[in-house]
Amino acid sequence: MLNKFSVYLLGSLSLFFLGVSSFLVGSFFLVWDYVIFMDWEILSMNGCSITMTFLFDWISLVFVGCVFVISSMVIYYSESYMSSDVDRVRFYFLVFLFVMSMMMMIVSPNLMSILIGWDGLGLVSYCLVIYFQNYKSYSAGMLTILTNRVGDVAILLSIAWMLNFGSWHYIFYMGMWDYWEFYLISLIVLAGFTSSAQIPFSSWLPAAMAAPTPVSSLVHSSTLVTAGVYLLIRFSEMLSNFNCSFILALSMMTMFMAGLGANLEFDLSSIIALSTLSQLGLMMSILFLGYPILSFLHLLTHAFFKALLFLCAGVMIHCMNDSQDIRYMGAMTSYLPFTCTCFCISNMSLCGLPFMSGFYSKDLILEAMTGSGYNFFVFLIFFVSIGLTVSYTFRVIYYVMFYNVNMHVCHGYGEDKIMMKSMIVLALLAISGGSMLSWLIFSVPELFVLPLHLKLMPLVFIFLGGWLGYEFSSVNLGEFPLSLRFYFISFFSGSMWFMPYFSTFMLYGKSFYLSKMYYEVMDGGWGEYVVSSSPLLFTSSLSKLMNYYQFNNVKIYMMVFVLIFIFSLI
């Protein structure tokens, strides 16, 4: 007899086999340099045709394969995580729709069909963020969808702009440059920045943590936030003729800001969200430096270990009775050994520890940036951001695993077999996925010849960041001399450089005052009297008059008869 959660198992198995098949086909396409371009005409009438277009090349197929494999593990994990939820079947279909929207965006070379997937991602993410239906979820959902609507409007404007030039297929415009393409690529960059939460649109990403943990795992690893990076990777040939200095600076500031903020945060989910933001800044930065394939490689490896990191954090939060403060955790290795092992694997991969999955993309990114000839500011921000990544990672590991036993009483610790199975697959990918993808994508080894001190610089910053993370976890910043100044610095850095305030009440506060004035003058004042009430008053007075005539018609008739008689005598 099928159990009541079999829909999760069926969906996860289907997605897993589809993902593995897509990955294998994409590998074949990469080796043989093969591309399939499908143009399916749905309707043709009076010379106007409605077509659906699909582009299957190695980038889209490998990415779809990775998204499907990660989504299958997350859906299987959700079977246990959402077991006590009343609307778990609705949750399953929402997640499935989310994955299908991402797939639609990936395989489309047409801006119209990209918009379908893009809007699907925005709408379903809103439904998932407000899933728990409380005020915090509602506020986070509104911030998420309204920020992403800016990107939707940018894509709509780029569709309108391309209407002048014969086709919505972006592949037809690659390799050419004209003055009008500046406006098109500016709109595409704006759309990518909103989806990938770059400065100044960063505040929605930590807010979206109000969603259930499996959704956060999907959003932060392979679906919503990576859609903007993937779109810009597709448009990377047009970016080569575009002056990227300003947007490169924004991406690097996002990477630096998120790494700094994560070192001052105590909420486990917020630390992992800021970690995602930091890695997105890294992907965008190396993309604007002119290395789209390296950005794509880090996009895939990051998806593996970040999905695993969220699933491990979900088990810990679940066992801690939904408490997310890392100061109330500690010595979890005694209670959750397998989860802590996977947590360490994903964190080490995030740090870029040699021969883990993240190492193969991060090391290449740093060497490519070092050899690209940019100025010292770019060099410094990249390496400091890598050090900050290791710093907040070691800080979290120290607090969660080696700190004092600070948890509350009556916590039920236990590892679920279903959750463990899904984490095993992602742990294997977090260990070996980077080497597998790098050998596949770079059939000829990429060699950067650098001096010894530059070759050793990533390792130096990794060890320096680990030491700094330990110091951050064992020393309170308030104990420093001039602690008030340190408090202001830590408050500024820990609040994402005040970006959530800029994105919320600082943005619409004045407009609310203006709308209040409009309400008092128009809706509650003369506008109400003249526009709304005067037609009602006029028609009601007219109807009263007609009513009076109708009920007194004999008297009026006799009076009119007398008046006419009198006037005729005169």
Side-chain angles (χ1 to χ4, degrees):
M1 180 180 177
L2 291 174
N3 63 23
K4 56 186 175 183
F5 300 128
S6 59
V7 64
Y8 281 91
L9 180 61
L10 181 65
S12 64
L13 284 175
S14 306
L15 281 178
F16 182 77
F17 287 118
L18 273 173
V20 171
S21 305
S22 299
F23 187 84
L24 292 175
V25 173
S27 307
F28 173 80
F29 279 25
L30 173 62
V31 171
W32 293 98
D33 197 15
Y34 196 71
V35 178
I36 293 178
F37 185 87
M38 292 175 59
D39 209 356
W40 175 36
E41 188 174 285
I42 300 171
L43 179 67
S44 181
M45 186 180 295
N46 295 333
C48 179
S49 61
I50 298 173
T51 60
M52 179 62 71
T53 314
F54 300 105
L55 176 66
F56 296 105
D57 61 347
W58 73 269
I59 293 181
S60 60
L61 285 170
V62 167
F63 194 23
V64 164
C66 293
V67 169
F68 277 1
V69 168
I70 292 170
S71 305
S72 67
M73 293 300 106
V74 170
I75 287 174
Y76 188 55
Y77 174 93
S78 304
E79 178 178 344
S80 174
Y81 192 88
M82 306 297 290
S83 59
S84 59
D85 193 84
V86 178
D87 299 317
R88 53 188 171 267
V89 177
R90 181 178 59 139
F91 175 80
Y92 164 77
F93 283 109
L94 279 173
V95 171
F96 203 80
L97 192 60
F98 196 55
V99 176
M100 290 300 111
S101 300
M102 187 65 191
M103 187 208 72
M104 184 71 189
M105 204 220 81
I106 291 170
V107 299
S108 299
N110 187 321
L111 271 184
M112 290 291 281
S113 48
I114 283 175
L115 184 65
I116 296 171
W118 193 277
D119 265 340
L121 284 171
L123 179 62
V124 180
S125 67
Y126 174 71
C127 296
L128 288 168
V129 169
I130 65 166
Y131 182 80
F132 287 132
Q133 298 183 15
N134 51 45
Y135 285 111
K136 182 185 175 185
S137 298
Y138 172 73
S139 303
M142 289 305 294
L143 181 59
T144 301
I145 195 167
L146 290 177
T147 307
N148 281 287
R149 285 309 291 171
V150 178
D152 297 343
V153 170
I155 290 186
L156 281 168
L157 288 174
S158 60
I159 286 171
W161 191 255
M162 291 174 82
L163 196 64
N164 300 317
F165 301 102
S167 177
W168 285 308
H169 295 327
Y170 62 77
I171 57 173
F172 294 160
Y173 303 105
M174 299 301 169
M176 58 178 289
W177 182 253
D178 204 347
Y179 70 94
W180 60 268
E181 290 197 19
F182 170 79
Y183 304 105
L184 174 65
I185 203 66
S186 300
L187 290 168
I188 297 298
V189 167
L190 176 60
F193 265 48
T194 56
S195 177
S196 295
Q198 304 295 296
I199 288 177
F201 306 107
S202 303
S203 56
W204 73 263
L205 191 61
M209 299 300 299
T213 305
V215 175
S216 301
S217 177
L218 267 183
V219 166
H220 288 253
S221 64
S222 56
T223 48
L224 182 62
V225 295
T226 56
V229 182
Y230 179 78
L231 187 68
L232 289 175
I233 288 171
R234 283 300 198 184
F235 278 86
S236 56
E237 287 190 30
M238 295 173 74
L239 280 169
S240 58
N241 298 310
F242 189 69
N243 186 7
C244 299
S245 302
F246 177 65
I247 48 181
L248 172 65
L250 288 180
S251 298
M252 289 192 304
M253 286 296 100
T254 305
M255 177 170 58
F256 178 70
M257 175 267 297
L260 201 59
N263 279 288
L264 300 165
E265 185 65 60
F266 289 101
D267 188 306
L268 181 59
S269 295
S270 297
I271 291 171
I272 303 175
L274 289 169
S275 161
T276 303
L277 192 56
S278 174
Q279 300 307 304
L280 287 168
L282 179 62
M283 294 174 210
M284 284 288 196
S285 302
I286 198 64
L287 174 63
F288 293 132
L289 282 175
Y291 298 95
I293 301 301
L294 278 183
S295 178
F296 183 65
L297 175 63
H298 189 57
L299 180 67
L300 298 178
T301 56
H302 170 261
F304 295 143
F305 59 74
K306 190 51 64 72
L308 177 63
L309 190 57
F310 264 106
L311 297 190
C312 297
V315 174
M316 294 173 180
I317 293 168
H318 213 50
C319 293
M320 289 290 294
N321 210 4
D322 297 335
S323 171
Q324 300 184 10
D325 198 321
I326 57 175
R327 289 170 292 189
Y328 295 122
M329 299 179 185
M332 278 202 174
T333 46
S334 306
Y335 307 100
L336 305 170
F338 180 79
T339 304
C340 289
T341 304
C342 292
F343 190 71
C344 280
I345 288 172
S346 55
N347 274 314
M348 292 302 104
S349 187
L350 169 65
C351 291
L353 199 73
F355 311 115
M356 301 289 280
S357 186
F359 165 76
Y360 290 92
S361 54
K362 277 198 168 183
D363 190 61
L364 269 176
I365 284 173
L366 288 174
E367 289 182 348
M369 180 275 306
T370 308
S372 61
Y374 271 79
N375 55 23
F376 180 70
F377 175 73
V378 176
F379 183 88
L380 183 68
I381 292 292
F382 261 84
F383 277 101
V384 168
S385 301
I386 294 298
L388 289 172
T389 301
V390 185
S391 171
Y392 64 70
T393 302
F394 272 83
R395 177 173 171 265
V396 165
I397 290 175
Y398 178 80
Y399 266 107
V400 170
M401 297 184 190
F402 306 114
Y403 198 48
N404 299 326
V405 184
N406 285 337
M407 67 276 293
H408 301 296
V409 296
C410 300
H411 282 170
Y413 288 95
E415 293 178 327
D416 192 281
K417 287 185 178 179
I418 292 176
M419 293 183 176
M420 288 169 67
K421 288 176 187 174
S422 57
M423 285 192 283
I424 286 172
V425 176
L426 290 175
L428 292 173
L429 289 172
I431 295 170
S432 61
S435 58
M436 179 176 61
L437 286 168
S438 65
W439 296 334
L440 182 68
I441 293 174
F442 303 112
S443 55
V444 177
E446 295 287 328
L447 183 64
F448 290 93
V449 180
L450 297 170
L452 180 63
H453 64 281
L454 289 180
K455 273 287 187 181
L456 294 178
M457 194 69 75
L459 280 177
V460 170
F461 273 87
I462 283 175
F463 290 119
L464 195 63
W467 170 77
L468 189 65
Y470 175 75
E471 292 295 333
F472 270 168
S473 58
S474 58
V475 176
N476 187 6
L477 287 176
E479 295 173 359
F480 281 108
L482 303 174
S483 59
L484 187 63
R485 184 180 300 174
F486 273 99
Y487 172 76
F488 281 122
I489 292 172
S490 62
F491 180 70
F492 174 70
S493 301
S495 60
M496 294 177 64
W497 296 356
F498 302 144
M499 228 171 307
Y501 307 108
F502 284 117
S503 302
T504 52
F505 63 82
M506 288 189 73
L507 186 65
Y508 55 69
K510 300 299 182 185
S511 60
F512 271 1
Y513 285 123
L514 184 64
S515 64
K516 181 184 176 185
M517 289 167 51
Y518 274 129
Y519 172 76
E520 289 174 349
V521 173
M522 296 297 294
D523 287 352
W526 280 102
E528 173 72 21
Y529 183 75
V530 174
V531 178
S532 301
S533 302
S534 56
L536 178 64
L537 288 173
F538 175 73
T539 53
S540 60
S541 302
L542 189 62
S543 64
K544 284 180 183 178
L545 182 64
M546 296 301 294
N547 206 12
Y548 175 77
Y549 286 155
Q550 287 172 358
F551 277 106
N552 299 282
N553 52 357
V554 176
K555 290 185 284 186
I556 292 170
Y557 179 74
M558 293 301 295
M559 187 181 68
V560 170
F561 182 78
V562 171
L563 286 174
I564 291 174
F565 179 74
I566 293 171
F567 280 118
S568 65
L569 289 177
I570 293 172

